[in-house]
Amino acid sequence: MTIDAFLKYLQYEKNYSTHTVFAYKRDVKQFIAFVEADACLFSPENIDGSDLRRWIVDLMDKGNTATTVNRKISSVKTFYKYLQMHQVVRVNPVTGIAGPKKPKPLPHFVKADEMDLLFDRVGFKDDFTGTRDRLIMDMLYSTGMRLSELQHLKLKDVDLGAGVVKVTGKRNKQRIIPLNKSLVCNLQSYLEKRKEILSNQKESLFVTLQGNEVYPKLIYRVVNKYLSMITTISKKSPHVLRHTFATVLLNKGADINVVKSLLGHANLSATEVYTHSTFDELTKIYKLAHPRA
């Protein structure tokens, strides 16, 4: 039988594992059974793209995930490539059939009141390290910049008088981000402590006790340490603070195009992922506030 030859091809010529071969067998037989539910007998050369599309719809209707459905589609496509290679069919009827898109996971973020708790109640030491770590947390949360952007900030990038910071992002694209009054104060405090430990002037804004530019692991460690004090979310990375920055702004009514510019996104679609989180928050508020909700 054709399917048996196909499975031997996978096992002996492609050297697929027994588990993988079994998965292909199950998927292809499931497709054949679906086709035979409408037709009396499965005939490879009589299949066209509409058969696969109907099967995809049926699989999704039955609650299969996009990942599962795409795997099954891949199995059938491999089966038909084999059939075409062995001239069982002249044309591959399933070429170009796209599977369902995987849903993008919603970004993790910290609630605004939890961030307020961090800066108002959690103790940062008054020494150089504590002042620097507080500024790292505040800079990430108040500007939404990426870890690499913060790491490579230079002293010249900060203009305290104008209350702005110049950030160099992906593909060396630069953008200007405003600094709030609290962040300016934290910057001033840090720069004073910085002068005390550095005898020679370094270009990097964020430095270690030895005067070297901070490194990614140090920034991760700082963020994880302080977020662990205020939240139980599973992810506690610098990028979570970027997500938090965007979500807080949108929840407060900021224009999405403004948020896009502040984040340095090339496309609005990258920013729109935060609107899902915002909508969830608005839904909760509506249900609590509206008498008929």
Side-chain angles (χ1 to χ4, degrees):
M1 189 176 176
T2 303
I3 191 169
D4 291 330
F6 168 64
L7 296 174
K8 288 179 180 178
Y9 161 77
L10 294 179
Q11 184 174 3
Y12 298 114
E13 294 191 42
K14 301 294 288 184
N15 292 318
Y16 285 177
S17 69
T18 302
H19 176 77
T20 301
V21 172
F22 177 79
Y24 273 91
K25 177 182 178 179
R26 180 187 57 212
D27 295 341
V28 172
K29 283 196 169 184
Q30 187 179 10
F31 174 64
I32 292 172
F34 173 81
V35 173
E36 288 183 337
D38 289 334
C40 294
L41 185 66
F42 174 79
S43 179
E45 64 273 12
N46 291 333
I47 296 298
D48 60 31
S50 64
D51 294 305
L52 185 59
R53 291 189 186 93
R54 287 190 299 105
W55 187 48
I56 293 171
V57 172
D58 183 68
L59 290 171
M60 296 300 293
D61 286 345
K62 289 177 178 175
N64 289 278
T65 65
T67 300
T68 298
V69 173
N70 283 317
R71 192 205 69 233
K72 291 178 181 293
I73 294 169
S74 178
S75 296
V76 174
K77 285 184 174 182
T78 302
F79 177 55
Y80 265 90
K81 283 180 183 178
Y82 168 82
L83 295 179
Q84 190 176 29
M85 181 174 65
H86 287 80
Q87 300 180 339
V88 177
V89 296
R90 288 185 299 169
V91 178
N92 189 335
V94 297
T95 299
I97 303 294
K101 290 184 178 180
K102 297 179 184 178
K104 290 184 178 180
L106 293 179
H108 292 262
F109 65 93
V110 184
K111 294 178 181 178
D113 57 351
E114 291 175 329
M115 293 305 300
D116 289 341
L117 177 66
L118 173 65
F119 293 113
D120 296 340
R121 303 286 294 274
V122 173
F124 290 87
K125 291 184 179 180
D126 195 36
D127 57 8
F128 166 77
T129 301
T131 306
R132 181 204 61 200
D133 293 354
R134 181 187 180 93
L135 181 60
I136 285 175
M137 297 297 293
D138 198 3
M139 185 72 80
L140 290 169
Y141 172 54
S142 297
T143 68
M145 66 177 66
R146 303 175 179 91
L147 180 152
S148 59
E149 294 170 345
L150 178 136
Q151 178 191 352
H152 299 306
L153 279 179
K154 308 298 180 188
L155 285 171
K156 64 182 181 181
D157 293 330
V158 177
D159 187 337
L160 292 178
V164 296
V165 58
K166 181 173 68 176
V167 178
T168 302
K170 293 181 178 180
R171 295 176 292 279
N172 289 320
K173 287 184 64 178
Q174 293 186 328
R175 64 187 189 278
I176 303 296
I177 303 177
L179 305 173
N180 60 49
K181 291 181 180 179
S182 176
L183 184 52
V184 169
C185 289
N186 286 334
L187 266 163
Q188 289 171 331
S189 298
Y190 168 71
L191 291 174
E192 290 172 6
K193 298 286 186 184
R194 188 180 179 282
K195 285 179 183 177
E196 295 175 6
I197 69 160
L198 291 181
S199 54
N200 57 330
Q201 193 71 359
K202 296 277 188 175
E203 287 187 4
S204 297
L205 175 62
F206 288 100
V207 294
T208 65
L209 275 169
Q210 293 73 36
N212 301 315
E213 181 181 271
V214 292
Y215 46 94
K217 191 172 182 179
L218 182 150
I219 300 171
Y220 265 102
R221 189 165 62 238
V222 168
V223 172
N224 185 273
K225 172 184 175 181
Y226 287 101
L227 286 188
S228 295
M229 296 179 181
I230 60 165
T231 182
T232 58
I233 60 172
S234 57
K235 278 194 173 184
K236 302 180 182 70
S237 69
H239 219 69
V240 167
L241 291 177
R242 179 170 165 85
H243 296 326
T244 303
F245 166 82
T247 303
V248 167
L249 285 182
L250 289 168
N251 280 341
K252 294 294 184 180
D255 185 273
I256 191 170
N257 286 293
V258 173
V259 177
K260 169 182 172 290
S261 297
L262 292 172
L263 291 172
H265 284 160
N267 300 303
L268 190 62
S269 59
T271 316
E272 287 175 338
V273 65
Y274 300 108
T275 62
H276 296 290
S277 302
T278 303
F279 183 76
D280 288 343
E281 188 69 19
L282 290 174
T283 302
K284 290 177 185 177
I285 294 170
Y286 169 77
K287 287 181 177 179
L288 288 172
H290 198 282
R292 296 182 66 84

